[in-house]
């Protein structure tokens, strides 16, 4: 699993939902944390492989800060706060927090609470937020909310397959406004 920091910069002239471009929300110019290689689980979001090439290759979110062992709270205007979610500490030496979610509840058929912060306006990025499994050593055993990042072939604009990665033809896109056109 790889962690990366990315700054997405794009002006949006649309009605901005609560939590957009804020801590734990969609990062449009404030920088974001990308986690590559989420794991599939029943009921969860599609994840990348050769038979599901449009599944999530990674996820992005504006992380919260960890200070004195406590996570920065979710902003009250965020749909994630209204959904009753809470931040969790990242582990493995990362001094940030993400929004935790229950993979077990979703696996048993409960709705994904992270969907509350999905974006459906192409002017802002048409990006679903989902509860991702990033592994037991990453977020204190919880799933984390994040926006899908897709692996696309920069030569064809289509989804990447394993062979495309070997050829160096793939880039990771977390903003649907920036998808390649060929």
């Amino acid at each position: 699993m790889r962690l990366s920091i990315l700054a997405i910069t794009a002006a949006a002239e649309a009605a901005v939902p609560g939590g957009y471009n804020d801590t734990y929300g969609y990062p449009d110019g404030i920088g974001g944390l990308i986690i590559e290689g989420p794991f599939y689980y029943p009921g969860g979001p599609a994840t990348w492989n050769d038979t599901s090439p449009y599944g999530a290759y990674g996820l992005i979110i504006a992380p919260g800060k960890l200070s004195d062992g406590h996570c920065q709270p979710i902003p009250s205007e965020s749909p994630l706060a209204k959904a009753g979610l809470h931040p969790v500490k990242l582990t493995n030496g990362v001094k940030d927090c993400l929004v935790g979610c229950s993979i077990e509840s979703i696996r048993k058929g409960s709705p994904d609470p992270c969907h509350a912060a999905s974006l459906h306006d192409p002017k802002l990025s048409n990006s679903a937020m989902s509860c991702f499994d990033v592994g037991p050593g990453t977020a204190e055993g919880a799933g984390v909310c994040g926006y899908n990042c897709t692996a696309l072939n920069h030569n064809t604009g289509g989804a990447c397959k394993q062979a495309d990665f070997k050829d160096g033809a793939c880039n990771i896109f977390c903003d649907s406004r920036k998808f390649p056109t060929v």
Side-chain angles (χ1 to χ4, degrees):
M1 180 172 309
R2 289 188 335 187
L3 301 175
S4 306
I5 299 292
L6 171 73
I8 295 177
T9 55
E13 293 184 24
V16 178
Y20 184 84
N21 218 20
D22 202 353
T23 304
Y24 304 119
Y26 187 83
D28 187 11
I30 61 172
L33 175 69
I34 295 175
I35 301 174
E36 293 181 10
F39 301 100
Y40 168 80
Y41 65 94
T47 55
W48 181 89
N49 62 50
D50 266 354
T51 59
S52 179
Y54 286 102
Y57 188 83
L59 57 124
I60 189 169
I61 192 166
K65 301 291 181 214
L66 179 65
S67 179
D68 296 325
H70 299 286
C71 290
Q72 181 177 358
I74 298 172
S76 60
E77 70 276 3
S78 169
L80 299 172
K82 294 171 183 158
L85 296 171
H86 303 284
V88 294
K89 295 184 278 188
L90 291 177
T91 57
N92 298 334
V94 179
K95 304 288 187 217
D96 286 329
C97 300
L98 297 179
V99 176
C101 49
S102 173
I103 293 167
E104 267 316 301
S105 293
I106 295 167
R107 190 176 289 170
K108 292 177 182 175
S110 294
D112 186 330
C114 302
H115 288 296
S118 293
L119 299 174
H120 304 291
D121 186 335
K123 293 178 185 173
L124 300 175
S125 184
N126 189 15
S127 299
M129 181 179 256
S130 299
C131 180
F132 287 96
D133 180 354
V134 293
T138 306
E140 297 188 323
V144 297
C145 295
Y147 295 94
N148 179 73
C149 295
T150 306
L152 297 175
N153 184 310
H154 57 84
N155 296 319
T156 67
C160 282
K161 301 274 190 153
Q162 189 65 43
D164 298 322
F165 277 100
K166 291 177 184 172
D167 292 339
C170 298
N171 289 341
I172 310 306
F173 292 87
C174 303
D175 184 342
S176 65
R177 298 170 295 184
K178 303 293 183 184
F179 283 3
T181 56
V182 185

